[in-house]
Amino acid sequence: MALAACSSAGSDGQKVGSDGELACSLVRRLPDRMPDQPAGGSSDHSWDVAVGRLNTAAELARVAALEDKKYQPLADTLATARQTFSTTFDLHRAEPGIKQARTQC
């Protein structure tokens, strides 16, 4: 994943994106059809990866909105998607919010 077009530099001198750009990067990495929760003992980590990306994208968008209000709609959308997942433990129920977040990115 190339972040060379981003304007801020990290502590090691490599270019990194803003919090909003990073949130959008994670949203784009989420699958269109979210994975099912694996059965016990499964070695498929796609569900855990999707949960981690959704939660991280939501948090990055929240922080981005604190600094730049243009990210507030994205933060609200991802917060709703994350809340939907948190109350149902069904990633498929978060898909509409993720789809909407893609359009906001």
Side-chain angles (χ1 to χ4, degrees):
M1 179 168 66
L3 293 175
C6 300
S7 60
S8 53
S11 61
D12 62 357
Q14 290 184 330
K15 298 213 181 236
V16 295
S18 70
D19 292 328
E21 292 167 333
L22 292 171
C24 284
S25 176
L26 287 172
V27 167
R28 286 188 291 273
R29 294 181 71 189
L30 288 168
D32 290 334
R33 174 84 172 131
M34 298 301 279
D36 294 323
Q37 187 170 8
S42 173
S43 62
D44 180 12
H45 298 292
S46 60
W47 188 82
D48 289 321
V49 169
V51 169
R53 285 183 179 151
L54 174 60
N55 286 330
T56 303
E59 188 60 19
L60 284 167
R62 184 190 72 78
V63 171
L66 293 173
E67 294 186 326
D68 187 341
K69 291 301 176 194
K70 76 178 182 182
Y71 290 108
Q72 192 61 57
L74 177 64
D76 293 343
T77 297
L78 288 172
T80 300
R82 179 167 58 175
Q83 181 63 30
T84 298
F85 166 70
S86 294
T87 57
T88 64
F89 290 99
D90 183 352
L91 276 174
H92 300 290
R93 306 246 347 241
E95 288 171 358
I98 293 165
K99 182 178 179 181
Q100 182 180 356
R102 281 193 183 98
T103 67
Q104 294 168 327
C105 288

